Amino acid sequence: MNIASLINALPGAAAQGLIWGIMAIGVYITFRVLDIADLTVDGSLCTGGAVCIMMMQAGYNVWIAMLVATLAGMLTGLATGLFHTFMGIPAILSGILTQLGLYSINLKIMGKSNQAINVDKYDLLVSLRYIKGVAFYKNTILIVAVIIVILIAILYWFFGTELGCSLRATGCNGHMARAQGINTSFNRVLGLMISNGLVALSGALRGQDPGFADINMGRGAIVIGLAAVIIGEAIFGKIFHNFALTLLSVAFGSIIYYLVLQVVIWLGIDTDLLKLLSALVVAVFLAIPYWQGKYFSKPVKKGGSH
C-alpha cells in the first residue's frame, strides 16, 4: 500500500467532504432543529445537480444556475411540507413520497439518466481539476469553504430572528409553540424548504465537481448527511456550544467522514461495502447516547440529601 497515493487523494476527499457538508447542514436543520427525519434529500440533491447542469448547458451563468437549483430544492421541501402539514401525512412518509416523485421529475429535467458538462467548455465554479495546480482563488476547497462560512453566517443570523426562534421552538416542543400562538405548520414547511434548498445547492456543486449529473447521485445521501451530523456532534459537541459552531461541526463531520472513507478505500476494502459500512457507522453513533443512558449512567438515589 503506497502512502503517497493516499496523501495524493486526501485533498480531493476534503473537497468532496466540504461539498457534502452543505448538504449535511441541511440535514441538521430538519433532523436536529425541526426534529423531522426528512428523506426528501435523496431526491432534492439530484434535483439541484440536474437543474444546475441543464441551465449551464443552456448558456446560463454558473451563479444563476446555482441560484435556480437552490430554489428548485426549496420547492421540493415545499412539496414535502405540504404533504405533511396540509395533507396530514407523517413526515417520514411525506419525504419518501416526494423523493419517489422526484425520480421522474429529475429524469424529465435531464432528458436522460446522465448529463455531462465539460470543464474546458463551461466556466464552472468548482471542479476536480481545480484542486491542485490552480491559482488559490480558483481552488475548490477554498471556494466551498467560503460558501459554507457565508451560509453559516446567514443561518446564524436567521435563527436569531423572531421567525428563526419560533422555528426552533417548533422543533423543541410543537405543542408548547402552538400554545404560544406560533404557526407550527408554516414553520415546518419553511424549515423543510430551507433544508432542501441547501441540499440542492450541495447537489449543484456536486454536479460540477466531477462534471456530470446522474439520476442516482443522491442515493444514500441521507445516510451521509446523518453520518456527518453525528460524527460532528460526537467529536465537537463538548467544545462547540454556539449554534454557528455547531453548524460548522457538521461540516467538519462531513470532511472527517470522507477522509475516513478515503482511508478505507486505500486499505483495499471492497468498495461495494461502503454503503453498508456507512449505515453501520451511523447506527453505532446514533446508539451511543442511548447506551450511555441505559448502561453507563449512575443510578439516581431516591430522596434528596439532608
Side-chain angles (χ1 to χ4, degrees), residues 13 16-28 31 39 41-42 45 199 202 206 216-232 249-259 261 274-283 285:
Q16 286 258 319
L18 278 167
I19 290 170
W20 283 95
I22 297 172
M23 185 271 301
I25 291 170
V27 170
Y28 179 87
F31 186 61
L39 298 184
V41 296
D42 284 23
L45 186 98
V199 171
S202 172
R206 180 81 190 81
N216 291 317
M217 68 189 278
R219 185 168 288 175
I222 185 67
V223 175
I224 298 169
L226 287 172
V229 169
I230 287 149
I231 291 167
S249 75
V250 173
F252 285 154
S254 181
I255 297 166
I256 292 163
Y257 173 84
Y258 265 90
L259 292 176
L261 217 58
L274 289 179
K275 287 275 200 288
L276 175 63
L277 287 169
S278 302
L280 290 172
V281 166
V282 172
F285 273 106

Side-chain angles (χ1 to χ4, degrees), residues 137-156:
Y137 57 85
K138 283 190 83 173
N139 189 295
T140 294
I141 295 174
L142 176 71
I143 288 170
V144 183
V146 169
I147 291 171
I148 285 177
V149 169
I150 292 167
L151 286 173
I152 288 174
I154 293 167
L155 288 169
Y156 183 69

Side-chain angles (χ1 to χ4, degrees), residues 69-187:
T70 305
L71 293 172
M74 293 181 82
L75 285 176
T76 68
L78 175 65
T80 301
L82 290 177
F83 279 145
H84 176 47
T85 58
F86 180 67
M87 298 174 77
I89 301 168
I92 197 160
L93 279 177
S94 300
I96 291 168
L97 286 172
T98 309
Q99 181 201 123
L100 189 67
L102 283 174
Y103 188 88
S104 298
I105 291 167
N106 293 338
L107 271 175
K108 280 292 178 190
I109 290 168
M110 293 192 287
K112 54 182 181 178
S113 62
N114 188 297
Q115 283 283 4
I117 192 162
N118 194 322
V119 67
D120 297 323
K121 292 180 185 174
Y122 296 91
D123 189 18
L124 303 184
L125 184 65
V126 297
S127 171
L128 287 170
R129 287 205 214 161
Y130 295 167
I131 290 171
K132 292 172 192 168
V134 291
F136 80 96
Y137 57 85
K138 283 190 83 173
N139 189 295
T140 294
I141 295 174
L142 176 71
I143 288 170
V144 183
V146 169
I147 291 171
I148 285 177
V149 169
I150 292 167
L151 286 173
I152 288 174
I154 293 167
L155 288 169
Y156 183 69
W157 166 80
F158 171 73
F159 280 105
T161 63
E162 191 178 332
L163 179 59
C165 288
S166 74
L167 204 148
R168 289 163 82 170
T170 300
C172 260
N173 188 327
H175 297 297
M176 180 67 81
R178 210 174 294 117
Q180 298 294 326
I182 293 169
N183 186 339
T184 53
S185 294
F186 171 79
N187 282 346

Side-chain angles (χ1 to χ4, degrees), residues 23 61 83 265 284:
M23 185 271 301
N61 173 285
F83 279 145
I265 293 166
V284 168

Side-chain angles (χ1 to χ4, degrees), residues 28 31-33 226-240 245-254 256 285-286 289:
Y28 179 87
F31 186 61
R32 286 289 187 237
V33 178
L226 287 172
V229 169
I230 287 149
I231 291 167
E233 285 179 340
I235 295 172
F236 303 104
K238 294 277 195 293
I239 321 162
F240 293 171
L245 292 176
T246 303
L247 293 178
L248 191 62
S249 75
V250 173
F252 285 154
S254 181
I256 292 163
F285 273 106
L286 280 170

